[in-house]
Amino acid sequence: MLKINNLHARVEDKEILKGINLTVNAGEVHAIMGPNGSGKSTLAAVIAGKEEFEVTEGEVFLEGENLEDTSPEDRAHKGVFLSFQYPVEIPGVSVTNFMKTAINESRKAKGLEDMPAKDMLKLIREKSELLEIDRKFLSRSLNEGFSGGEKKRNEIFQMAMLEPKLAILDETDSGLDIDALRIVANGVNKLKSKDNAVIVITHYQRLLEYIVPDFVHVLHNGKIVKSGNKDLALELEEKGYDWLKQETVI
Amino acid sequence: MAYTEEELKKELETKEYEYGFYTDIESDTFPNGLNEEIVIAISKKKEEPEWMTLWRLESFKIWKEMVEPEWANVKYKKPDFQAISYYSAPNKKPKYDSLDEVDPELLDTFKKLGISLDEQKKLAGVAVDIVMDSVSVATTFKKTLAEKGIIFCSISEAIKEHPELVKKYIGSVVPQKDNFYAALNSAVFSDGSFCYIPKGVRCPMELSTYFRINQAGTGQFERTLVIADQGSYVSYLEGCTAPSRDENQLHAAVVELIALDDAEIKYSTVQNWFPGNKEGQGGVYNFVTKRGLCEKNAKISWTQVETGSAVTWKYPSCILKGDNSIGEFYSIAVTNNYQQADTGTKMIHLGKNTKSTIISKGISAGKSQNSYRGLVQVNSRADNARNFSQCDSLLMGNECGAHTFPYIEVKNKSAQIEHEATTSKIGEDQIFYCNQRGIDTEKAIALIVNGFSKEVLNKLPMEFAVEAQKLLEISLEGSVG
């Protein structure tokens, strides 16, 4: 599904990713953990194609295709989805209208007609039930005045609507209370299949109790310094990141 | 509306005949310059009664004493008023023989706006065959209106056919001496629309939707007079979403609305005159005076979408004279490249319990400057007057400007005035968020801009709103790299 080779990326003069290697296969859940500033969000943004970051070395492949010259929207059309750590507000644009636009743009890129209104409504109903979203919520302006939990739930709702091949959840657990966390995790688990993959970026182990990863990677100073199974997350929780820093001093 | 082809042809044949009537004056254009003789000659050409000629002359005298205002936040080369020809008969000769000769960029825009081929031809000045000519459609609508006693015709026709109404109301809201451009317009106005809704009548259709094409070429000095008699209602649409590449650089229109007791006028404008090219050359100067008068319990709503013109100077206003009267102003002004707009409204509260609402949305892109200038005035006798103003600016890029000049003058302690203003910028983060969801940058901007403008777009009649939305998208195309 996703293959990253020796990825280096920088913003302005600052190198943030310093040689990332990562392979994610269909049907897998990977967790990426690491202290603040280790490059987790940058990695997510680079995979999604944010132009602010310059890739200086290495490649990102999605289903065997090099994404080097692919625009963010084309990556989205190919099935990359990023659940943002800080979802932006778009005043005056309802969640429904935003989703309608997003879905139809993706369809257009694939040479399909707009989704008929009836099907769209059905899809919205189905997915909003999955995430226990009140229908009224969907007519509100995108993220405007949303609580932290509402924003994150809305991100996962969008993920459910767009049915991506590769979903990257960037700190989806931050700002969530325990009930919201359960709903969001539940949603992600239901969307998981043998054909798609999920990368969960998180600071804490908490979310991983609900979305159980097949692999856990620890990112530190722009590199993956340790990989393992879900037990690694528990170990980290117990010993803290300092333990790793000591262990990986080169 | 079932209309057989046969009827249509017949109607058009008679129309041709009507055109023939004008043939002898068609080719003449007056020499450049403005003096009393020219004013008299304009009036004569239009076969106006003496009172109208005298009114024009009086206006001219006033104009001569006035100086061009400089207070607006716009910079431009002042027009040489002696280098303009003040009368040019409607030109019937097509500019092109077929659409193939028309600027492909213009045609592309027409296509995006979803304008039919025949309309495209009309708008671009291409000869039209016998097809769904809007003139004939217009005539049948006129019949429906006439049954209700509604008068809807050109102002020239009204001066001849309904002199008592014109004489009573022309200049009653925008006096000749009101401002430099209004005085000029009063002296030399070319043509425009006249509308009268009788007592208690609700106009059954949006006026002028079907007249879009005819409106396109009304000339430099348009004069509009709308009178809604007691308890009547009318929704009036002005302008055209299609880009009008007018050769006239200066446009100075005057619009007067009169809403008598319990009447309501909704006046919607979409303005898309040539804004000049990307380097800021050419483009129309749009200096308009629009004002409405509300008598007791009357209501006037101005809704405008301004995307065109190189320089815009425009303040649709309401004089809330009658008790309990209501004035509303909803505006979207878009400036791109080197466009400059200084636009807003004036709400003059004279009567008791008068209410006004101002929602202004300014969108600036490129190197443009967009100013909101508004006055809320509460006079001493206007007890319990209320106003709510909201001015939002949206910036795109780093080289444009947004300015807000709110003036508030209150002479009555019971007044309640609220003013809110925001300025925001379309951020890279917003764009990236949309991109990530599969929405490309152009579409993302359109989405954000439409969201920003929603409160105003919602006030437009449905059909107009859809066009206006597309227009916003087109106006801002390519404005974020």
Side-chain angles (χ1 to χ4, degrees):
Chain A
M1 174 74 64
L2 178 77
K3 192 163 169 43
I4 299 175
N5 286 337
N6 189 30
L7 185 69
H8 290 252
R10 66 176 181 196
V11 62
E12 285 160 9
D13 284 336
K14 198 177 169 218
E15 187 166 50
I16 298 174
L17 300 183
K18 300 170 184 172
I20 304 265
N21 291 294
L22 181 67
T23 302
V24 177
N25 297 310
E28 292 176 354
V29 176
H30 289 239
I32 295 177
M33 302 181 73
N36 286 330
S38 56
K40 301 190 297 289
S41 289
T42 302
L43 177 62
V46 169
I47 296 171
K50 194 169 190 182
E51 276 152 22
E52 194 187 319
F53 299 101
E54 191 194 341
V55 174
T56 49
E57 220 185 311
E59 302 93 21
V60 177
F61 293 93
L62 183 73
E63 297 193 298
E65 188 187 346
N66 191 338
L67 293 181
E68 193 178 346
D69 294 319
T70 311
S71 67
E73 58 269 26
D74 284 341
R75 292 180 195 215
H77 299 155
K78 290 181 197 301
V80 175
F81 179 88
L82 173 60
S83 167
F84 283 72
Q85 184 178 3
Y86 304 108
V88 300
E89 297 180 359
I90 306 184
V93 177
S94 68
V95 176
T96 308
N97 187 16
F98 185 70
M99 272 295 95
K100 194 181 92 185
T101 310
I103 285 176
N104 284 334
E105 285 298 299
S106 279
R107 289 175 67 96
K108 201 164 80 186
K110 293 180 186 109
L112 298 169
E113 295 283 310
D114 280 1
M115 184 183 275
K118 204 181 73 195
D119 298 356
M120 184 77 75
L121 282 172
K122 193 170 155 246
L123 189 65
I124 288 173
R125 198 177 310 133
E126 211 179 284
K127 303 299 183 185
S128 58
E129 273 164 22
L130 178 71
L131 286 148
E132 300 176 38
I133 284 175
D134 186 351
R135 211 68 55 76
K136 267 185 245 150
F137 176 85
L138 300 172
S139 60
R140 285 169 62 186
S141 286
L142 189 71
N143 291 320
E144 200 185 27
F146 284 18
S147 69
E150 283 173 330
K151 281 183 183 171
K152 295 301 170 69
R153 206 187 294 186
N154 180 31
E155 292 291 292
I156 303 304
F157 168 68
Q158 293 183 34
M159 170 183 159
M161 291 288 290
L162 293 166
E163 298 176 336
K165 284 188 192 138
L166 174 70
I168 307 162
L169 313 184
D170 189 3
E171 306 249 357
T172 298
D173 50 339
S174 67
L176 289 189
D177 61 33
I178 197 76
D179 290 331
L181 188 72
R182 187 183 45 77
I183 293 166
V184 162
N186 204 9
V188 174
N189 287 331
K190 280 188 191 153
L191 295 167
K192 229 168 53 181
S193 79
K194 64 177 181 19
D195 300 319
N196 60 28
V198 183
I199 297 176
V200 182
I201 293 174
T202 182
H203 203 73
Y204 303 103
Q205 200 274 127
R206 194 177 65 154
L207 179 65
L208 305 180
E209 284 172 18
Y210 297 91
I211 305 173
V212 182
D214 300 304
F215 300 94
V216 175
H217 312 276
V218 182
L219 195 63
H220 177 59
N221 198 17
K223 276 184 177 170
I224 290 178
V225 291
K226 205 170 174 70
S227 295
N229 62 14
K230 65 182 187 331
D231 298 334
L232 177 59
L234 289 167
E235 202 175 344
L236 270 175
E237 183 93 341
E238 199 182 308
K239 297 183 179 168
Y241 288 113
D242 285 343
W243 153 68
L244 255 170
K245 280 177 196 166
Q246 285 160 13
E247 203 172 73
T248 57
V249 166
I250 304 161
Chain B
M1 193 195 53
Y3 215 66
T4 69
E5 204 167 318
E6 207 49 46
E7 279 174 312
L8 220 129
K9 266 188 196 154
K10 212 185 271 170
E11 182 109 32
L12 281 163
E13 277 162 26
T14 33
K15 212 68 218 171
E16 276 302 309
Y17 183 69
E18 275 179 38
Y19 277 134
F21 176 74
Y22 288 106
T23 318
D24 54 340
I25 57 161
E26 191 184 273
S27 57
D28 62 5
T29 296
F30 282 16
N32 288 355
L34 188 54
N35 53 44
E36 284 193 1
E37 279 79 67
I38 294 280
V39 174
I40 293 167
I42 292 170
S43 193
K44 212 168 164 186
K45 271 283 176 210
K46 303 183 81 72
E47 299 169 330
E48 288 174 354
E50 202 193 348
W51 62 267
M52 196 67 238
T53 315
L54 292 174
W55 196 78
R56 285 179 182 272
L57 280 172
E58 198 187 325
S59 310
F60 176 67
K61 220 188 257 169
I62 294 166
W63 178 73
K64 267 199 312 195
E65 303 299 317
M66 296 177 102
V67 281
E68 206 174 343
E70 284 178 353
W71 44 262
N73 188 28
V74 292
K75 287 189 192 79
Y76 60 97
K77 194 171 161 282
K78 282 186 187 162
D80 178 356
F81 293 96
Q82 294 303 337
I84 296 171
S85 166
Y86 288 85
Y87 186 88
S88 176
N91 196 350
K92 212 183 93 187
K93 237 195 294 167
K95 271 197 284 194
Y96 310 102
D97 290 324
S98 86
L99 272 178
D100 301 338
E101 298 168 32
V102 178
D103 182 2
E105 201 184 315
L106 183 67
L107 291 182
D108 197 38
T109 312
F110 284 156
K111 219 167 78 192
K112 284 182 198 157
L113 283 167
I115 289 167
S116 78
L117 262 183
D118 297 327
E119 281 189 85
Q120 289 186 23
K121 287 183 181 173
K122 271 240 151 182
L123 291 160
V126 176
V128 188
D129 319 321
I130 298 189
V131 278
M132 265 300 282
D133 186 345
S134 77
V135 175
S136 58
V137 180
T139 320
T140 43
F141 277 100
K142 251 182 171 170
K143 256 184 235 159
T144 321
L145 294 174
E147 279 163 22
K148 298 210 168 234
I150 295 168
I151 305 167
F152 184 46
C153 60
S154 73
I155 191 109
S156 308
E157 202 179 323
I159 289 166
K160 280 179 241 171
E161 308 290 329
H162 310 282
E164 69 297 337
L165 284 170
V166 178
K167 213 169 162 177
K168 184 170 174 191
Y169 290 109
I170 197 166
S172 69
V173 187
V174 180
Q176 294 141 293
K177 60 173 189 296
D178 189 82
N179 68 68
F180 185 82
Y181 302 109
L184 179 64
N185 176 288
S186 302
V188 302
F189 67 85
S190 30
D191 212 334
S193 310
F194 175 86
C195 171
Y196 172 79
I197 316 291
K199 266 182 210 174
V201 171
R202 212 184 146 82
C203 186
M205 64 187 78
E206 314 272 358
L207 281 188
S208 116
T209 325
Y210 301 94
F211 305 84
R212 173 163 73 180
I213 297 167
N214 300 338
Q215 295 258 320
T218 30
Q220 290 183 273
F221 302 102
E222 201 175 338
R223 185 100 198 178
T224 304
L225 183 56
V226 179
I227 304 152
D229 212 329
Q230 292 175 17
S232 68
Y233 167 84
V234 62
S235 168
Y236 189 97
L237 310 183
E238 172 201 61
C240 181
T241 46
S244 320
R245 299 228 162 167
D246 203 302
E247 283 141 29
N248 300 318
Q249 201 183 27
L250 173 67
H251 280 248
V254 170
V255 177
E256 292 179 280
L257 309 185
I258 294 114
L260 297 177
D261 292 359
D262 306 299
E264 182 179 346
I265 301 175
K266 197 170 151 58
Y267 195 101
S268 314
T269 306
V270 170
Q271 186 266 113
N272 187 22
W273 275 325
F274 184 46
N277 63 17
K278 288 198 171 83
E279 280 73 49
Q281 290 148 342
V284 169
Y285 294 170
N286 188 20
F287 303 131
V288 189
T289 308
K290 290 185 164 178
R291 197 173 301 153
L293 178 78
C294 286
E295 295 287 358
K296 233 164 70 189
N297 306 321
K299 178 175 172 184
I300 288 179
S301 268
W302 297 100
T303 307
Q304 59 171 22
V305 177
E306 302 272 325
T307 61
S309 297
V311 181
T312 302
W313 183 97
K314 181 178 171 186
Y315 317 91
S317 306
C318 296
I319 300 174
L320 304 171
K321 182 180 163 218
D323 292 350
N324 314 314
S325 58
I326 298 172
E328 294 175 339
F329 174 75
Y330 302 102
S331 168
I332 303 169
V334 180
T335 52
N336 198 354
N337 300 320
Y338 286 87
Q339 280 178 278
Q340 306 175 68
D342 194 299
T343 182
T345 184
K346 286 191 268 187
M347 293 291 174
I348 314 292
H349 293 254
L350 300 174
K352 293 183 178 52
N353 308 317
T354 44
K355 263 194 259 178
S356 61
T357 305
I358 299 170
I359 310 281
S360 165
K361 305 273 179 180
I363 300 159
S364 337
K367 295 185 161 69
S368 68
Q369 296 295 326
N370 202 330
S371 302
Y372 166 82
R373 186 183 303 275
L375 168 68
V376 176
Q377 193 184 66
V378 178
N379 283 63
S380 54
R381 282 178 302 128
D383 294 338
N384 306 314
R386 294 187 63 171
N387 162 266
F388 174 76
S389 301
Q390 185 187 326
C391 305
D392 298 326
S393 306
L394 187 67
L395 299 167
M396 297 168 69
N398 295 322
E399 292 176 283
C400 55
H403 315 266
T404 306
F405 304 97
Y407 302 85
I408 298 172
E409 292 170 15
V410 178
K411 291 180 184 144
N412 185 309
K413 279 185 189 161
S414 63
Q416 276 185 45
I417 311 279
E418 284 174 75
H419 182 92
E420 286 178 11
T422 65
T423 302
S424 50
K425 202 177 147 189
I426 294 191
E428 276 168 23
D429 285 349
Q430 276 178 319
I431 305 265
F432 179 64
Y433 189 86
C434 294
N435 288 163
Q436 209 299 305
R437 298 301 186 247
I439 302 166
D440 68 27
T441 302
E442 294 285 5
K443 190 91 191 171
I445 290 168
L447 198 69
I448 294 165
V449 166
N450 277 321
F452 173 77
S453 317
K454 198 169 154 197
E455 284 162 283
V456 176
L457 286 174
N458 283 349
K459 296 289 170 185
L460 286 170
M462 189 54 195
E463 162 187 355
F464 230 32
V466 174
E467 286 186 28
Q469 210 165 337
K470 283 192 213 153
L471 182 61
L472 289 182
E473 293 177 21
I474 291 167
S475 307
L476 292 166
E477 234 166 49
S479 50
V480 165

